[in-house]
Amino acid sequence: MKFNGGYNVMLEGAPSIGIATYEKPDALHLPLFSDCLDFSLLQVEHGESVKKGQVLAKDPVNYSVPLLAPMDGTINLEIAERHITLENLSSPEESVSDEADVDDDKRQTLLRFGVWSFMTKLDNGRIPDPETVPESLVIPVFRFEPFLPNAELLLKESLDQFIEGLGNIHKTLDDAAIQLILPETESALKAPLHQAAEQSDWLTLYEVPETYPFDHPALLAQMLELDPEKVWTLDVQAVLGAQGALDSNRPYVKRTISVSGPMAAQPTHHQVPLGYPISLLVGQASNTELRIICGGVLTGKVIDSAQLGMDAECVALTFLEEMTEREVMAFAQAGFGKQSYSRTFASVFKPLFKEKFTTALRGESRPCIFCGFCENVCPAGIIPHLIHRYLDNDRPEDAYRVGLDKCIECGLCSYVCLSKINHLELLQAGKEQAATEAIEG
Ligand code: SF4
Ligand code: SF4
């Protein structure tokens, strides 16, 4: 396979390989909304006592995927809008749901125990219909975007369960092929995974250069010429969640997230139940005004200030310093502490280092100067500035003609742009509009 483009953004604040002990919360605040989900059908009442794994709400638009109680507790619906608060929390973090039998239909089991909502279709980023199956499932084991959770940590104690989980998912999805993405570099995880692949005819490993975003499942699907409508993806933790659900009726209600970035006091990982108060995690960051991003620094989304607890989709909290003042004459500063793709700052004379990244853009958005950087880094082989121009001029059919559908939304074009043009936002909006129009017919 021949990879083009890509670029490793070097930033200070990567999470250490360890899991910090987290402060026990007084309450969990489960958001009824997230990027993809809207749990609008409440299944509980104010004051009701619930058990771990009990369904609290459902998303009627997304095949009724449930929001589950992460612990035993009492429901409070009056603390915050669009949240279910769980108080009087009690113990059974390690217990297993006392739901009776697992469904014969294993896909319904994944739905019931909170795993199905982690399946994503590559063509539109949406949750797939549980009545359907993919031809392939592409799973990135390691993630290259700064500051996502570390794969070796996630699988240190659970590689066997991960491999069993892959087998279980393969059977559950009617023998779908599974492709794993691994880096070419050394890792203790690789030998057991290679062994598992050699012993099966449905598991294939692809080793890719350790450059962002060559770990992206949509990129591998494009290179293998798989039909994106028939390819799904999910992450490493969801595979472990699926194994727990299928093997032990275990509800999937706890995630290991990275809490990192240049402004995190001690960048590391935390294993927290869903709904864990964001304020307790922010408390560990510095006092400076922060921008909190759910996800990695290139593709994550700024957390809504109304959101009180961790939602299921969030795998990382990234803290950046919020620059409230303009950087005057930023372009004229030597920039010994700044990294850039253009290598125009004085920092090129220093040994390799990681930048203390902030939200500053180093100047306002300007017209494109046709430097070609966005085209150089684009792993999908398309021309971001051209697509941007078509979308900006309300010509989506031309944007698709020159490859908008190939964009994997890695955000590199926005990062390297000398003119500070936010390509990613417009590309995502263009694709979203096309998807909505397709659904509406
Ligand atoms: S156009 Fe899409 S795939 Fe290419 S660099 Fe930009 S976000 Fe990444
Ligand atoms: S990186 Fe920015 S300035 Fe350079 S060609 Fe692309 S859009 Fe234009």
Side-chain angles (χ1 to χ4, degrees), residues 380-391:
I382 54 181
I383 306 175
H385 63 84
L386 178 63
I387 295 179
H388 192 120
R389 224 173 23 257
Y390 282 139
L391 289 174

Side-chain angles (χ1 to χ4, degrees), residues 366-377 383-386 388-389 412-414 416-421 423:
R366 307 180 279 269
C368 172
I369 57 164
F370 303 106
C371 65
F373 288 171
C374 55
E375 193 179 337
N376 293 349
V377 294
I383 306 175
H385 63 84
L386 178 63
H388 192 120
R389 224 173 23 257
L412 270 182
C413 49
S414 297
V416 301
C417 182
L418 289 183
S419 295
K420 319 298 166 200
I421 298 171
H423 296 282

Side-chain angles (χ1 to χ4, degrees), residues 374 377-380 382 384 406-413 423-424 427:
C374 55
V377 294
C378 178
I382 54 181
K406 290 202 179 111
C407 170
I408 62 167
E409 300 178 18
C410 68
L412 270 182
C413 49
H423 296 282
L424 181 60
L427 294 169

